[in-house]
Amino acid sequence: MKADMGDRLATGGPDGQRECLIIGLPQADGSPPYVVRWLSDGHVALVFPGPYTKLVRGSMDDRPAAG
């Protein structure tokens, strides 16, 4: 999986589907892990996507407003 800033990750689990915005790329080639902000609560985390995680391409203009 290779991502760009502004892409999103969508993942499912026992609590339902969650989505996060990629806000940081520690690896220059866009490979995991990713620094993300979870859209549901704004929590920032370092994420290693699992096998059921989907990469959703987006632009930086699609980012939710900070705050």
Side-chain angles (χ1 to χ4, degrees), residues 15-37:
D15 298 331
Q17 181 146 335
R18 295 181 65 195
E19 194 170 340
C20 57
L21 178 69
I22 296 175
I23 59 171
L25 297 170
Q27 306 297 325
D29 67 354
S31 62
Y34 305 117
V35 179
V36 303
R37 179 180 301 117

PDB file of all heavy atoms in Angstrom, residues 15-37:
ATOM      1  N   ASP A  15     -16.731  -2.797  15.940  1.00  0.00           N
ATOM      2  CA  ASP A  15     -17.461  -1.562  16.255  1.00  0.00           C
ATOM      3  C   ASP A  15     -17.989  -0.866  15.009  1.00  0.00           C
ATOM      4  O   ASP A  15     -18.468   0.257  15.090  1.00  0.00           O
ATOM      5  CB  ASP A  15     -16.551  -0.593  17.017  1.00  0.00           C
ATOM      6  CG  ASP A  15     -16.091  -1.155  18.346  1.00  0.00           C
ATOM      7  OD1 ASP A  15     -16.828  -1.966  18.926  1.00  0.00           O
ATOM      8  OD2 ASP A  15     -14.997  -0.784  18.803  1.00  0.00           O
ATOM      9  N   GLY A  16     -17.879  -1.493  13.846  1.00  0.00           N
ATOM     10  CA  GLY A  16     -18.331  -0.903  12.597  1.00  0.00           C
ATOM     11  C   GLY A  16     -17.173  -0.303  11.821  1.00  0.00           C
ATOM     12  O   GLY A  16     -16.009  -0.472  12.174  1.00  0.00           O
ATOM     13  N   GLN A  17     -17.500   0.414  10.762  1.00  0.00           N
ATOM     14  CA  GLN A  17     -16.474   0.997   9.911  1.00  0.00           C
ATOM     15  C   GLN A  17     -15.968   2.307  10.500  1.00  0.00           C
ATOM     16  O   GLN A  17     -16.741   3.108  11.005  1.00  0.00           O
ATOM     17  CB  GLN A  17     -17.015   1.242   8.508  1.00  0.00           C
ATOM     18  CG  GLN A  17     -15.959   1.822   7.593  1.00  0.00           C
ATOM     19  CD  GLN A  17     -16.099   1.366   6.167  1.00  0.00           C
ATOM     20  OE1 GLN A  17     -16.650   0.310   5.911  1.00  0.00           O
ATOM     21  NE2 GLN A  17     -15.587   2.149   5.265  1.00  0.00           N
ATOM     22  N   ARG A  18     -14.653   2.488  10.418  1.00  0.00           N
ATOM     23  CA  ARG A  18     -14.012   3.731  10.870  1.00  0.00           C
ATOM     24  C   ARG A  18     -13.183   4.275   9.721  1.00  0.00           C
ATOM     25  O   ARG A  18     -12.684   3.526   8.896  1.00  0.00           O
ATOM     26  CB  ARG A  18     -13.103   3.470  12.069  1.00  0.00           C
ATOM     27  CG  ARG A  18     -13.858   3.003  13.295  1.00  0.00           C
ATOM     28  CD  ARG A  18     -12.945   2.786  14.466  1.00  0.00           C
ATOM     29  NE  ARG A  18     -12.358   4.068  14.860  1.00  0.00           N
ATOM     30  CZ  ARG A  18     -11.307   4.191  15.664  1.00  0.00           C
ATOM     31  NH1 ARG A  18     -10.714   3.132  16.139  1.00  0.00           N
ATOM     32  NH2 ARG A  18     -10.832   5.366  15.984  1.00  0.00           N
ATOM     33  N   GLU A  19     -13.019   5.591   9.715  1.00  0.00           N
ATOM     34  CA  GLU A  19     -12.244   6.227   8.669  1.00  0.00           C
ATOM     35  C   GLU A  19     -11.302   7.240   9.286  1.00  0.00           C
ATOM     36  O   GLU A  19     -11.628   7.895  10.276  1.00  0.00           O
ATOM     37  CB  GLU A  19     -13.192   6.914   7.682  1.00  0.00           C
ATOM     38  CG  GLU A  19     -12.531   7.321   6.403  1.00  0.00           C
ATOM     39  CD  GLU A  19     -13.535   7.767   5.357  1.00  0.00           C
ATOM     40  OE1 GLU A  19     -14.718   7.427   5.454  1.00  0.00           O
ATOM     41  OE2 GLU A  19     -13.109   8.477   4.432  1.00  0.00           O
ATOM     42  N   CYS A  20     -10.106   7.344   8.691  1.00  0.00           N
ATOM     43  CA  CYS A  20      -9.129   8.311   9.179  1.00  0.00           C
ATOM     44  C   CYS A  20      -8.456   8.990   8.004  1.00  0.00           C
ATOM     45  O   CYS A  20      -8.424   8.468   6.890  1.00  0.00           O
ATOM     46  CB  CYS A  20      -8.100   7.646  10.085  1.00  0.00           C
ATOM     47  SG  CYS A  20      -7.194   6.289   9.326  1.00  0.00           S
ATOM     48  N   LEU A  21      -7.922  10.167   8.263  1.00  0.00           N
ATOM     49  CA  LEU A  21      -7.232  10.969   7.270  1.00  0.00           C
ATOM     50  C   LEU A  21      -5.738  10.839   7.487  1.00  0.00           C
ATOM     51  O   LEU A  21      -5.263  10.972   8.621  1.00  0.00           O
ATOM     52  CB  LEU A  21      -7.650  12.428   7.426  1.00  0.00           C
ATOM     53  CG  LEU A  21      -6.989  13.432   6.489  1.00  0.00           C
ATOM     54  CD1 LEU A  21      -7.481  13.219   5.067  1.00  0.00           C
ATOM     55  CD2 LEU A  21      -7.295  14.844   6.954  1.00  0.00           C
ATOM     56  N   ILE A  22      -4.989  10.578   6.430  1.00  0.00           N
ATOM     57  CA  ILE A  22      -3.532  10.486   6.548  1.00  0.00           C
ATOM     58  C   ILE A  22      -2.965  11.901   6.598  1.00  0.00           C
ATOM     59  O   ILE A  22      -3.138  12.685   5.666  1.00  0.00           O
ATOM     60  CB  ILE A  22      -2.944   9.684   5.375  1.00  0.00           C
ATOM     61  CG1 ILE A  22      -3.458   8.245   5.426  1.00  0.00           C
ATOM     62  CG2 ILE A  22      -1.412   9.729   5.412  1.00  0.00           C
ATOM     63  CD1 ILE A  22      -3.051   7.387   4.246  1.00  0.00           C
ATOM     64  N   ILE A  23      -2.300  12.212   7.721  1.00  0.00           N
ATOM     65  CA  ILE A  23      -1.743  13.553   7.912  1.00  0.00           C
ATOM     66  C   ILE A  23      -0.220  13.541   7.973  1.00  0.00           C
ATOM     67  O   ILE A  23       0.399  14.602   8.039  1.00  0.00           O
ATOM     68  CB  ILE A  23      -2.325  14.231   9.168  1.00  0.00           C
ATOM     69  CG1 ILE A  23      -2.032  13.420  10.423  1.00  0.00           C
ATOM     70  CG2 ILE A  23      -3.837  14.444   9.002  1.00  0.00           C
ATOM     71  CD1 ILE A  23      -2.391  14.128  11.721  1.00  0.00           C
ATOM     72  N   GLY A  24       0.378  12.358   7.957  1.00  0.00           N
ATOM     73  CA  GLY A  24       1.830  12.263   7.999  1.00  0.00           C
ATOM     74  C   GLY A  24       2.329  10.987   7.358  1.00  0.00           C
ATOM     75  O   GLY A  24       1.710   9.936   7.486  1.00  0.00           O
ATOM     76  N   LEU A  25       3.446  11.111   6.642  1.00  0.00           N
ATOM     77  CA  LEU A  25       4.060   9.962   5.970  1.00  0.00           C
ATOM     78  C   LEU A  25       5.500   9.828   6.447  1.00  0.00           C
ATOM     79  O   LEU A  25       6.401  10.446   5.884  1.00  0.00           O
ATOM     80  CB  LEU A  25       4.038  10.152   4.450  1.00  0.00           C
ATOM     81  CG  LEU A  25       2.667  10.242   3.792  1.00  0.00           C
ATOM     82  CD1 LEU A  25       2.803  10.667   2.344  1.00  0.00           C
ATOM     83  CD2 LEU A  25       1.944   8.925   3.906  1.00  0.00           C
ATOM     84  N   PRO A  26       5.748   9.043   7.494  1.00  0.00           N
ATOM     85  CA  PRO A  26       7.117   8.872   7.984  1.00  0.00           C
ATOM     86  C   PRO A  26       8.056   8.272   6.944  1.00  0.00           C
ATOM     87  O   PRO A  26       9.246   8.560   6.951  1.00  0.00           O
ATOM     88  CB  PRO A  26       6.965   7.937   9.183  1.00  0.00           C
ATOM     89  CG  PRO A  26       5.557   8.105   9.635  1.00  0.00           C
ATOM     90  CD  PRO A  26       4.780   8.381   8.379  1.00  0.00           C
ATOM     91  N   GLN A  27       7.534   7.451   6.022  1.00  0.00           N
ATOM     92  CA  GLN A  27       8.351   6.831   4.977  1.00  0.00           C
ATOM     93  C   GLN A  27       8.235   7.658   3.694  1.00  0.00           C
ATOM     94  O   GLN A  27       7.129   7.949   3.240  1.00  0.00           O
ATOM     95  CB  GLN A  27       7.889   5.392   4.704  1.00  0.00           C
ATOM     96  CG  GLN A  27       7.826   4.502   5.921  1.00  0.00           C
ATOM     97  CD  GLN A  27       9.186   4.291   6.560  1.00  0.00           C
ATOM     98  OE1 GLN A  27      10.195   4.212   5.881  1.00  0.00           O
ATOM     99  NE2 GLN A  27       9.204   4.226   7.869  1.00  0.00           N
ATOM    100  N   ALA A  28       9.358   8.021   3.105  1.00  0.00           N
ATOM    101  CA  ALA A  28       9.365   8.861   1.903  1.00  0.00           C
ATOM    102  C   ALA A  28       8.644   8.222   0.720  1.00  0.00           C
ATOM    103  O   ALA A  28       8.125   8.924  -0.144  1.00  0.00           O
ATOM    104  CB  ALA A  28      10.795   9.202   1.516  1.00  0.00           C
ATOM    105  N   ASP A  29       8.583   6.888   0.673  1.00  0.00           N
ATOM    106  CA  ASP A  29       7.945   6.209  -0.463  1.00  0.00           C
ATOM    107  C   ASP A  29       6.441   6.001  -0.297  1.00  0.00           C
ATOM    108  O   ASP A  29       5.791   5.388  -1.130  1.00  0.00           O
ATOM    109  CB  ASP A  29       8.627   4.876  -0.738  1.00  0.00           C
ATOM    110  CG  ASP A  29       8.433   3.851   0.369  1.00  0.00           C
ATOM    111  OD1 ASP A  29       7.862   4.192   1.430  1.00  0.00           O
ATOM    112  OD2 ASP A  29       8.870   2.701   0.183  1.00  0.00           O
ATOM    113  N   GLY A  30       5.845   6.505   0.802  1.00  0.00           N
ATOM    114  CA  GLY A  30       4.405   6.386   1.011  1.00  0.00           C
ATOM    115  C   GLY A  30       3.946   5.064   1.578  1.00  0.00           C
ATOM    116  O   GLY A  30       2.760   4.778   1.625  1.00  0.00           O
ATOM    117  N   SER A  31       4.891   4.248   2.043  1.00  0.00           N
ATOM    118  CA  SER A  31       4.516   2.962   2.634  1.00  0.00           C
ATOM    119  C   SER A  31       4.202   3.143   4.129  1.00  0.00           C
ATOM    120  O   SER A  31       4.587   4.137   4.730  1.00  0.00           O
ATOM    121  CB  SER A  31       5.637   1.943   2.436  1.00  0.00           C
ATOM    122  OG  SER A  31       6.813   2.369   3.077  1.00  0.00           O
ATOM    123  N   PRO A  32       3.482   2.172   4.727  1.00  0.00           N
ATOM    124  CA  PRO A  32       3.132   2.258   6.145  1.00  0.00           C
ATOM    125  C   PRO A  32       4.366   2.251   7.036  1.00  0.00           C
ATOM    126  O   PRO A  32       5.418   1.774   6.602  1.00  0.00           O
ATOM    127  CB  PRO A  32       2.306   0.994   6.382  1.00  0.00           C
ATOM    128  CG  PRO A  32       1.890   0.518   5.039  1.00  0.00           C
ATOM    129  CD  PRO A  32       2.933   0.996   4.079  1.00  0.00           C
ATOM    130  N   PRO A  33       4.223   2.733   8.252  1.00  0.00           N
ATOM    131  CA  PRO A  33       3.014   3.201   8.925  1.00  0.00           C
ATOM    132  C   PRO A  33       2.656   4.624   8.504  1.00  0.00           C
ATOM    133  O   PRO A  33       3.471   5.321   7.893  1.00  0.00           O
ATOM    134  CB  PRO A  33       3.400   3.159  10.400  1.00  0.00           C
ATOM    135  CG  PRO A  33       4.863   3.481  10.407  1.00  0.00           C
ATOM    136  CD  PRO A  33       5.397   2.825   9.144  1.00  0.00           C
ATOM    137  N   TYR A  34       1.445   5.041   8.891  1.00  0.00           N
ATOM    138  CA  TYR A  34       0.947   6.375   8.581  1.00  0.00           C
ATOM    139  C   TYR A  34       0.536   7.088   9.862  1.00  0.00           C
ATOM    140  O   TYR A  34       0.014   6.474  10.783  1.00  0.00           O
ATOM    141  CB  TYR A  34      -0.281   6.297   7.661  1.00  0.00           C
ATOM    142  CG  TYR A  34      -0.031   5.515   6.403  1.00  0.00           C
ATOM    143  CD1 TYR A  34      -0.730   4.344   6.143  1.00  0.00           C
ATOM    144  CD2 TYR A  34       0.911   5.932   5.472  1.00  0.00           C
ATOM    145  CE1 TYR A  34      -0.504   3.617   4.989  1.00  0.00           C
ATOM    146  CE2 TYR A  34       1.154   5.204   4.313  1.00  0.00           C
ATOM    147  CZ  TYR A  34       0.444   4.054   4.084  1.00  0.00           C
ATOM    148  OH  TYR A  34       0.678   3.336   2.946  1.00  0.00           O
ATOM    149  N   VAL A  35       0.738   8.400   9.881  1.00  0.00           N
ATOM    150  CA  VAL A  35       0.204   9.223  10.959  1.00  0.00           C
ATOM    151  C   VAL A  35      -1.173   9.660  10.489  1.00  0.00           C
ATOM    152  O   VAL A  35      -1.313  10.236   9.395  1.00  0.00           O
ATOM    153  CB  VAL A  35       1.092  10.450  11.248  1.00  0.00           C
ATOM    154  CG1 VAL A  35       0.493  11.290  12.359  1.00  0.00           C
ATOM    155  CG2 VAL A  35       2.512  10.011  11.609  1.00  0.00           C
ATOM    156  N   VAL A  36      -2.190   9.350  11.279  1.00  0.00           N
ATOM    157  CA  VAL A  36      -3.578   9.612  10.869  1.00  0.00           C
ATOM    158  C   VAL A  36      -4.330  10.387  11.944  1.00  0.00           C
ATOM    159  O   VAL A  36      -3.958  10.394  13.114  1.00  0.00           O
ATOM    160  CB  VAL A  36      -4.331   8.294  10.577  1.00  0.00           C
ATOM    161  CG1 VAL A  36      -3.616   7.481   9.513  1.00  0.00           C
ATOM    162  CG2 VAL A  36      -4.547   7.471  11.831  1.00  0.00           C
ATOM    163  N   ARG A  37      -5.416  11.013  11.498  1.00  0.00           N
ATOM    164  CA  ARG A  37      -6.378  11.632  12.418  1.00  0.00           C
ATOM    165  C   ARG A  37      -7.703  10.931  12.181  1.00  0.00           C
ATOM    166  O   ARG A  37      -8.249  10.953  11.073  1.00  0.00           O
ATOM    167  CB  ARG A  37      -6.537  13.122  12.155  1.00  0.00           C
ATOM    168  CG  ARG A  37      -7.575  13.751  13.111  1.00  0.00           C
ATOM    169  CD  ARG A  37      -7.790  15.239  12.907  1.00  0.00           C
ATOM    170  NE  ARG A  37      -6.545  15.950  13.098  1.00  0.00           N
ATOM    171  CZ  ARG A  37      -5.916  16.653  12.150  1.00  0.00           C
ATOM    172  NH1 ARG A  37      -6.428  16.743  10.942  1.00  0.00           N
ATOM    173  NH2 ARG A  37      -4.785  17.269  12.403  1.00  0.00           N
TER     174      ARG A  37
END
